[in-house]
PDB file of all heavy atoms in Angstrom:
ATOM      1  N   PHE A 212       1.420   5.852  -1.050  1.00  0.00           N
ATOM      2  CA  PHE A 212       0.961   6.708   0.064  1.00  0.00           C
ATOM      3  C   PHE A 212      -0.193   7.563  -0.403  1.00  0.00           C
ATOM      4  O   PHE A 212      -0.311   7.948  -1.597  1.00  0.00           O
ATOM      5  CB  PHE A 212       2.101   7.594   0.539  1.00  0.00           C
ATOM      6  CG  PHE A 212       3.243   6.906   1.165  1.00  0.00           C
ATOM      7  CD1 PHE A 212       4.359   6.602   0.459  1.00  0.00           C
ATOM      8  CD2 PHE A 212       3.178   6.557   2.507  1.00  0.00           C
ATOM      9  CE1 PHE A 212       5.426   5.923   1.069  1.00  0.00           C
ATOM     10  CE2 PHE A 212       4.251   5.874   3.101  1.00  0.00           C
ATOM     11  CZ  PHE A 212       5.373   5.613   2.386  1.00  0.00           C
ATOM     12  N   GLN A 213      -1.056   7.923   0.613  1.00  0.00           N
ATOM     13  CA  GLN A 213      -2.198   8.737   0.299  1.00  0.00           C
ATOM     14  C   GLN A 213      -1.750  10.115  -0.304  1.00  0.00           C
ATOM     15  O   GLN A 213      -2.408  10.638  -1.193  1.00  0.00           O
ATOM     16  CB  GLN A 213      -2.989   8.962   1.592  1.00  0.00           C
ATOM     17  CG  GLN A 213      -4.404   9.559   1.351  1.00  0.00           C
ATOM     18  CD  GLN A 213      -5.312   9.359   2.509  1.00  0.00           C
ATOM     19  OE1 GLN A 213      -4.933   9.065   3.631  1.00  0.00           O
ATOM     20  NE2 GLN A 213      -6.580   9.564   2.273  1.00  0.00           N
ATOM     21  N   ASN A 214      -0.660  10.616   0.195  1.00  0.00           N
ATOM     22  CA  ASN A 214      -0.200  11.904  -0.375  1.00  0.00           C
ATOM     23  C   ASN A 214       1.119  11.782  -1.140  1.00  0.00           C
ATOM     24  O   ASN A 214       1.964  12.714  -1.137  1.00  0.00           O
ATOM     25  CB  ASN A 214      -0.108  12.976   0.720  1.00  0.00           C
ATOM     26  CG  ASN A 214       0.595  12.402   1.980  1.00  0.00           C
ATOM     27  OD1 ASN A 214       1.064  11.276   1.960  1.00  0.00           O
ATOM     28  ND2 ASN A 214       0.684  13.194   3.050  1.00  0.00           N
ATOM     29  N   PHE A 215       1.253  10.694  -1.792  1.00  0.00           N
ATOM     30  CA  PHE A 215       2.295  10.379  -2.793  1.00  0.00           C
ATOM     31  C   PHE A 215       3.713  10.214  -2.278  1.00  0.00           C
ATOM     32  O   PHE A 215       4.405   9.262  -2.624  1.00  0.00           O
ATOM     33  CB  PHE A 215       2.320  11.364  -3.953  1.00  0.00           C
ATOM     34  CG  PHE A 215       0.967  11.854  -4.420  1.00  0.00           C
ATOM     35  CD1 PHE A 215       0.752  13.184  -4.719  1.00  0.00           C
ATOM     36  CD2 PHE A 215      -0.119  10.972  -4.547  1.00  0.00           C
ATOM     37  CE1 PHE A 215      -0.524  13.581  -5.133  1.00  0.00           C
ATOM     38  CE2 PHE A 215      -1.327  11.408  -4.977  1.00  0.00           C
ATOM     39  CZ  PHE A 215      -1.545  12.762  -5.301  1.00  0.00           C
ATOM     40  N   HIS A 216       4.191  11.217  -1.487  1.00  0.00           N
ATOM     41  CA  HIS A 216       5.603  11.152  -0.982  1.00  0.00           C
ATOM     42  C   HIS A 216       6.628  11.034  -2.142  1.00  0.00           C
ATOM     43  O   HIS A 216       7.585  10.299  -2.008  1.00  0.00           O
ATOM     44  CB  HIS A 216       5.809   9.988  -0.027  1.00  0.00           C
ATOM     45  CG  HIS A 216       5.261  10.167   1.338  1.00  0.00           C
ATOM     46  ND1 HIS A 216       5.906  10.835   2.325  1.00  0.00           N
ATOM     47  CD2 HIS A 216       4.067   9.823   1.852  1.00  0.00           C
ATOM     48  CE1 HIS A 216       5.171  10.843   3.447  1.00  0.00           C
ATOM     49  NE2 HIS A 216       4.009  10.208   3.167  1.00  0.00           N
ATOM     50  N   LEU A 217       6.406  11.793  -3.169  1.00  0.00           N
ATOM     51  CA  LEU A 217       7.418  11.803  -4.256  1.00  0.00           C
ATOM     52  C   LEU A 217       8.554  12.745  -3.814  1.00  0.00           C
ATOM     53  O   LEU A 217       8.342  13.651  -3.043  1.00  0.00           O
ATOM     54  CB  LEU A 217       6.831  12.282  -5.567  1.00  0.00           C
ATOM     55  CG  LEU A 217       5.708  11.376  -6.129  1.00  0.00           C
ATOM     56  CD1 LEU A 217       5.132  12.078  -7.391  1.00  0.00           C
ATOM     57  CD2 LEU A 217       6.237   9.999  -6.452  1.00  0.00           C
ATOM     58  N   ILE A 218       9.716  12.488  -4.349  1.00  0.00           N
ATOM     59  CA  ILE A 218      10.896  13.387  -4.007  1.00  0.00           C
ATOM     60  C   ILE A 218      10.875  14.526  -4.993  1.00  0.00           C
ATOM     61  O   ILE A 218      11.012  14.368  -6.202  1.00  0.00           O
ATOM     62  CB  ILE A 218      12.177  12.614  -4.095  1.00  0.00           C
ATOM     63  CG1 ILE A 218      12.125  11.494  -3.003  1.00  0.00           C
ATOM     64  CG2 ILE A 218      13.385  13.527  -3.849  1.00  0.00           C
ATOM     65  CD1 ILE A 218      13.272  10.589  -2.867  1.00  0.00           C
ATOM     66  N   PRO A 219      10.711  15.802  -4.504  1.00  0.00           N
ATOM     67  CA  PRO A 219      10.451  16.949  -5.396  1.00  0.00           C
ATOM     68  C   PRO A 219      11.602  17.303  -6.261  1.00  0.00           C
ATOM     69  O   PRO A 219      11.400  17.849  -7.310  1.00  0.00           O
ATOM     70  CB  PRO A 219      10.190  18.089  -4.388  1.00  0.00           C
ATOM     71  CG  PRO A 219      10.662  17.578  -3.070  1.00  0.00           C
ATOM     72  CD  PRO A 219      10.659  16.127  -3.031  1.00  0.00           C
ATOM     73  N   THR A 220      12.846  16.959  -5.873  1.00  0.00           N
ATOM     74  CA  THR A 220      14.004  17.333  -6.684  1.00  0.00           C
ATOM     75  C   THR A 220      14.373  16.244  -7.729  1.00  0.00           C
ATOM     76  O   THR A 220      15.410  16.312  -8.380  1.00  0.00           O
ATOM     77  CB  THR A 220      15.254  17.528  -5.797  1.00  0.00           C
ATOM     78  OG1 THR A 220      15.402  16.325  -4.971  1.00  0.00           O
ATOM     79  CG2 THR A 220      15.023  18.704  -4.853  1.00  0.00           C
ATOM     80  N   MET A 221      13.521  15.237  -7.776  1.00  0.00           N
ATOM     81  CA  MET A 221      13.751  14.142  -8.750  1.00  0.00           C
ATOM     82  C   MET A 221      12.670  14.098  -9.807  1.00  0.00           C
ATOM     83  O   MET A 221      11.513  14.337  -9.453  1.00  0.00           O
ATOM     84  CB  MET A 221      13.819  12.767  -8.096  1.00  0.00           C
ATOM     85  CG  MET A 221      15.108  12.603  -7.224  1.00  0.00           C
ATOM     86  SD  MET A 221      15.055  10.939  -6.528  1.00  0.00           S
ATOM     87  CE  MET A 221      16.834  10.706  -6.304  1.00  0.00           C
ATOM     88  N   THR A 222      13.008  13.767 -11.060  1.00  0.00           N
ATOM     89  CA  THR A 222      12.001  13.641 -12.131  1.00  0.00           C
ATOM     90  C   THR A 222      11.143  12.422 -11.885  1.00  0.00           C
ATOM     91  O   THR A 222      11.454  11.554 -11.059  1.00  0.00           O
ATOM     92  CB  THR A 222      12.657  13.542 -13.481  1.00  0.00           C
ATOM     93  OG1 THR A 222      13.454  12.380 -13.452  1.00  0.00           O
ATOM     94  CG2 THR A 222      13.516  14.779 -13.793  1.00  0.00           C
ATOM     95  N   ALA A 223      10.134  12.264 -12.699  1.00  0.00           N
ATOM     96  CA  ALA A 223       9.218  11.135 -12.571  1.00  0.00           C
ATOM     97  C   ALA A 223       9.999   9.851 -12.712  1.00  0.00           C
ATOM     98  O   ALA A 223       9.836   8.936 -11.859  1.00  0.00           O
ATOM     99  CB  ALA A 223       8.149  11.187 -13.698  1.00  0.00           C
ATOM    100  N   ILE A 224      10.817   9.767 -13.763  1.00  0.00           N
ATOM    101  CA  ILE A 224      11.575   8.529 -13.988  1.00  0.00           C
ATOM    102  C   ILE A 224      12.567   8.205 -12.835  1.00  0.00           C
ATOM    103  O   ILE A 224      12.755   7.066 -12.447  1.00  0.00           O
ATOM    104  CB  ILE A 224      12.256   8.489 -15.422  1.00  0.00           C
ATOM    105  CG1 ILE A 224      12.751   7.084 -15.704  1.00  0.00           C
ATOM    106  CG2 ILE A 224      13.354   9.536 -15.476  1.00  0.00           C
ATOM    107  CD1 ILE A 224      13.129   6.954 -17.152  1.00  0.00           C
ATOM    108  N   GLU A 225      13.174   9.271 -12.352  1.00  0.00           N
ATOM    109  CA  GLU A 225      14.135   9.081 -11.239  1.00  0.00           C
ATOM    110  C   GLU A 225      13.402   8.616  -9.961  1.00  0.00           C
ATOM    111  O   GLU A 225      13.859   7.714  -9.256  1.00  0.00           O
ATOM    112  CB  GLU A 225      14.881  10.407 -10.947  1.00  0.00           C
ATOM    113  CG  GLU A 225      15.862  10.734 -12.006  1.00  0.00           C
ATOM    114  CD  GLU A 225      16.462  12.158 -11.906  1.00  0.00           C
ATOM    115  OE1 GLU A 225      15.877  12.988 -11.147  1.00  0.00           O
ATOM    116  OE2 GLU A 225      17.402  12.479 -12.630  1.00  0.00           O
ATOM    117  N   ASN A 226      12.220   9.165  -9.743  1.00  0.00           N
ATOM    118  CA  ASN A 226      11.408   8.707  -8.569  1.00  0.00           C
ATOM    119  C   ASN A 226      11.053   7.256  -8.646  1.00  0.00           C
ATOM    120  O   ASN A 226      11.206   6.497  -7.696  1.00  0.00           O
ATOM    121  CB  ASN A 226      10.096   9.539  -8.472  1.00  0.00           C
ATOM    122  CG  ASN A 226      10.189  10.746  -7.507  1.00  0.00           C
ATOM    123  OD1 ASN A 226      10.255  10.558  -6.300  1.00  0.00           O
ATOM    124  ND2 ASN A 226      10.427  11.899  -8.051  1.00  0.00           N
ATOM    125  N   VAL A 227      10.642   6.826  -9.837  1.00  0.00           N
ATOM    126  CA  VAL A 227      10.272   5.393 -10.016  1.00  0.00           C
ATOM    127  C   VAL A 227      11.492   4.458  -9.970  1.00  0.00           C
ATOM    128  O   VAL A 227      11.330   3.354  -9.573  1.00  0.00           O
ATOM    129  CB  VAL A 227       9.462   5.236 -11.357  1.00  0.00           C
ATOM    130  CG1 VAL A 227       9.138   3.772 -11.627  1.00  0.00           C
ATOM    131  CG2 VAL A 227       8.215   6.081 -11.347  1.00  0.00           C
ATOM    132  N   ALA A 228      12.613   5.021 -10.354  1.00  0.00           N
ATOM    133  CA  ALA A 228      13.845   4.202 -10.339  1.00  0.00           C
ATOM    134  C   ALA A 228      14.441   3.914  -8.989  1.00  0.00           C
ATOM    135  O   ALA A 228      15.231   3.042  -8.826  1.00  0.00           O
ATOM    136  CB  ALA A 228      14.902   4.811 -11.268  1.00  0.00           C
ATOM    137  N   ILE A 229      14.021   4.757  -7.962  1.00  0.00           N
ATOM    138  CA  ILE A 229      14.646   4.637  -6.653  1.00  0.00           C
ATOM    139  C   ILE A 229      14.695   3.218  -6.056  1.00  0.00           C
ATOM    140  O   ILE A 229      15.705   2.737  -5.701  1.00  0.00           O
ATOM    141  CB  ILE A 229      13.950   5.631  -5.619  1.00  0.00           C
ATOM    142  CG1 ILE A 229      14.111   7.078  -6.042  1.00  0.00           C
ATOM    143  CG2 ILE A 229      14.558   5.426  -4.200  1.00  0.00           C
ATOM    144  CD1 ILE A 229      13.294   8.021  -5.201  1.00  0.00           C
ATOM    145  N   PRO A 230      13.463   2.527  -6.047  1.00  0.00           N
ATOM    146  CA  PRO A 230      13.498   1.229  -5.445  1.00  0.00           C
ATOM    147  C   PRO A 230      14.398   0.260  -6.221  1.00  0.00           C
ATOM    148  O   PRO A 230      15.033  -0.623  -5.624  1.00  0.00           O
ATOM    149  CB  PRO A 230      12.061   0.771  -5.518  1.00  0.00           C
ATOM    150  CG  PRO A 230      11.208   1.963  -5.798  1.00  0.00           C
ATOM    151  CD  PRO A 230      12.124   2.995  -6.417  1.00  0.00           C
ATOM    152  N   LEU A 231      14.449   0.461  -7.541  1.00  0.00           N
ATOM    153  CA  LEU A 231      15.276  -0.398  -8.361  1.00  0.00           C
ATOM    154  C   LEU A 231      16.767  -0.164  -8.151  1.00  0.00           C
ATOM    155  O   LEU A 231      17.552  -1.063  -8.175  1.00  0.00           O
ATOM    156  CB  LEU A 231      14.938  -0.169  -9.830  1.00  0.00           C
ATOM    157  CG  LEU A 231      13.452  -0.530 -10.177  1.00  0.00           C
ATOM    158  CD1 LEU A 231      12.982   0.155 -11.472  1.00  0.00           C
ATOM    159  CD2 LEU A 231      13.278  -2.046 -10.306  1.00  0.00           C
ATOM    160  N   GLU A 232      17.068   1.155  -7.971  1.00  0.00           N
ATOM    161  CA  GLU A 232      18.458   1.502  -7.704  1.00  0.00           C
ATOM    162  C   GLU A 232      18.902   0.996  -6.352  1.00  0.00           C
ATOM    163  O   GLU A 232      19.998   0.499  -6.144  1.00  0.00           O
ATOM    164  CB  GLU A 232      18.690   2.995  -7.880  1.00  0.00           C
ATOM    165  CG  GLU A 232      18.870   3.360  -9.347  1.00  0.00           C
ATOM    166  CD  GLU A 232      18.699   4.794  -9.692  1.00  0.00           C
ATOM    167  OE1 GLU A 232      18.403   5.607  -8.770  1.00  0.00           O
ATOM    168  OE2 GLU A 232      18.884   5.130 -10.886  1.00  0.00           O
ATOM    169  N   LEU A 233      17.976   1.045  -5.363  1.00  0.00           N
ATOM    170  CA  LEU A 233      18.273   0.496  -4.053  1.00  0.00           C
ATOM    171  C   LEU A 233      18.542  -0.998  -4.167  1.00  0.00           C
ATOM    172  O   LEU A 233      19.295  -1.576  -3.383  1.00  0.00           O
ATOM    173  CB  LEU A 233      17.145   0.744  -3.047  1.00  0.00           C
ATOM    174  CG  LEU A 233      16.968   2.211  -2.590  1.00  0.00           C
ATOM    175  CD1 LEU A 233      15.702   2.385  -1.786  1.00  0.00           C
ATOM    176  CD2 LEU A 233      18.152   2.654  -1.770  1.00  0.00           C
ATOM    177  N   GLN A 234      17.855  -1.631  -5.098  1.00  0.00           N
ATOM    178  CA  GLN A 234      18.085  -3.081  -5.296  1.00  0.00           C
ATOM    179  C   GLN A 234      19.278  -3.347  -6.206  1.00  0.00           C
ATOM    180  O   GLN A 234      19.497  -4.471  -6.649  1.00  0.00           O
ATOM    181  CB  GLN A 234      16.794  -3.795  -5.809  1.00  0.00           C
ATOM    182  CG  GLN A 234      15.663  -3.777  -4.899  1.00  0.00           C
ATOM    183  CD  GLN A 234      14.352  -4.366  -5.486  1.00  0.00           C
ATOM    184  OE1 GLN A 234      14.286  -4.569  -6.655  1.00  0.00           O
ATOM    185  NE2 GLN A 234      13.339  -4.552  -4.627  1.00  0.00           N
ATOM    186  N   GLN A 235      19.928  -2.250  -6.600  1.00  0.00           N
ATOM    187  CA  GLN A 235      21.131  -2.340  -7.475  1.00  0.00           C
ATOM    188  C   GLN A 235      20.851  -2.986  -8.782  1.00  0.00           C
ATOM    189  O   GLN A 235      21.704  -3.788  -9.321  1.00  0.00           O
ATOM    190  CB  GLN A 235      22.262  -3.009  -6.705  1.00  0.00           C
ATOM    191  CG  GLN A 235      22.615  -2.249  -5.454  1.00  0.00           C
ATOM    192  CD  GLN A 235      23.752  -2.839  -4.626  1.00  0.00           C
ATOM    193  OE1 GLN A 235      24.117  -3.974  -4.794  1.00  0.00           O
ATOM    194  NE2 GLN A 235      24.292  -1.954  -3.792  1.00  0.00           N
ATOM    195  N   LYS A 236      19.684  -2.734  -9.398  1.00  0.00           N
ATOM    196  CA  LYS A 236      19.384  -3.201 -10.733  1.00  0.00           C
ATOM    197  C   LYS A 236      20.125  -2.359 -11.769  1.00  0.00           C
ATOM    198  O   LYS A 236      20.064  -1.178 -11.748  1.00  0.00           O
ATOM    199  CB  LYS A 236      17.900  -3.122 -10.963  1.00  0.00           C
ATOM    200  CG  LYS A 236      17.041  -3.967 -10.048  1.00  0.00           C
ATOM    201  CD  LYS A 236      16.771  -5.353 -10.645  1.00  0.00           C
ATOM    202  CE  LYS A 236      16.407  -6.451  -9.663  1.00  0.00           C
ATOM    203  NZ  LYS A 236      15.123  -6.126  -8.984  1.00  0.00           N
ATOM    204  N   ASP A 237      20.788  -3.027 -12.680  1.00  0.00           N
ATOM    205  CA  ASP A 237      21.543  -2.356 -13.730  1.00  0.00           C
ATOM    206  C   ASP A 237      20.663  -1.523 -14.611  1.00  0.00           C
ATOM    207  O   ASP A 237      21.024  -0.492 -15.176  1.00  0.00           O
ATOM    208  CB  ASP A 237      22.324  -3.373 -14.576  1.00  0.00           C
ATOM    209  CG  ASP A 237      23.463  -3.971 -13.786  1.00  0.00           C
ATOM    210  OD1 ASP A 237      23.894  -3.347 -12.780  1.00  0.00           O
ATOM    211  OD2 ASP A 237      23.863  -5.069 -14.114  1.00  0.00           O
ATOM    212  N   ASP A 238      19.464  -2.111 -14.902  1.00  0.00           N
ATOM    213  CA  ASP A 238      18.549  -1.444 -15.870  1.00  0.00           C
ATOM    214  C   ASP A 238      17.455  -0.675 -15.181  1.00  0.00           C
ATOM    215  O   ASP A 238      16.327  -0.594 -15.658  1.00  0.00           O
ATOM    216  CB  ASP A 238      17.953  -2.473 -16.826  1.00  0.00           C
ATOM    217  CG  ASP A 238      17.271  -3.607 -16.026  1.00  0.00           C
ATOM    218  OD1 ASP A 238      17.415  -3.647 -14.781  1.00  0.00           O
ATOM    219  OD2 ASP A 238      16.513  -4.370 -16.660  1.00  0.00           O
TER     220      ASP A 238
END
Side-chain angles (χ1 to χ4, degrees):
F212 293 98
Q213 192 161 16
N214 44 5
F215 323 137
H216 285 275
L217 297 176
I218 297 179
T220 54
M221 290 183 154
T222 61
I224 192 168
E225 288 167 349
N226 265 284
V227 176
I229 296 170
L231 297 160
E232 278 164 358
L233 287 172
Q234 291 176 352
Q235 301 181 341
K236 296 269 160 62
D237 291 336
D238 56 347

